[in-house]
Amino acid sequence: MKVIKPSVLDEDTRVRFLSEVDSLRTVYGPFVAAFVGADADADQPWLAVEYVPGPDLRTLVTGHGPLPLAETGQPRCPAGGGSRHGARGGAAAP
């Protein structure tokens, strides 16, 4: 769940947030958390993706140090791999 704080909400933030929501609606794959819903026009914009158990990137790096570059895009790495799968809009990340 991501919610934009009212203290940082301005038109530019709302536009960037809407772009993020649009991107989340089009990207999918076995290593990408599924988009659940969003309301970018709400007084306090929010978005939700499915829960995926595991450490967040900060915890992973704090506990194990920087990730080797060769592993950051691999599907077995919790921090990467999702961008290697298709996008519903027809574009695929390299």
Side-chain angles (χ1 to χ4, degrees):
M1 185 92 180
K2 180 177 186 177
V3 179
I4 304 298
K5 294 187 230 176
S7 63
V8 298
L9 185 59
D10 59 21
E11 191 58 35
D12 289 337
T13 302
R14 194 177 290 275
V15 168
R16 286 192 314 272
F17 186 76
L18 184 56
S19 177
E20 181 177 354
V21 169
D22 288 343
S23 294
L24 285 170
R25 286 183 172 144
T26 61
V27 177
Y28 67 96
F31 302 103
V32 176
F35 175 76
V36 174
D39 187 349
D41 297 317
D43 289 339
Q44 195 167 10
W46 61 273
L47 68 82
V49 296
E50 74 177 320
Y51 174 74
V52 178
D56 60 60
L57 182 58
R58 181 182 308 236
T59 302
L60 186 67
V61 171
T62 299
H64 301 284
L67 301 173
L69 184 59
E71 292 183 14
T72 58
Q74 299 300 315
R76 70 180 181 275
C77 174
S83 65
R84 296 189 182 270
H85 297 278
R88 289 188 183 113

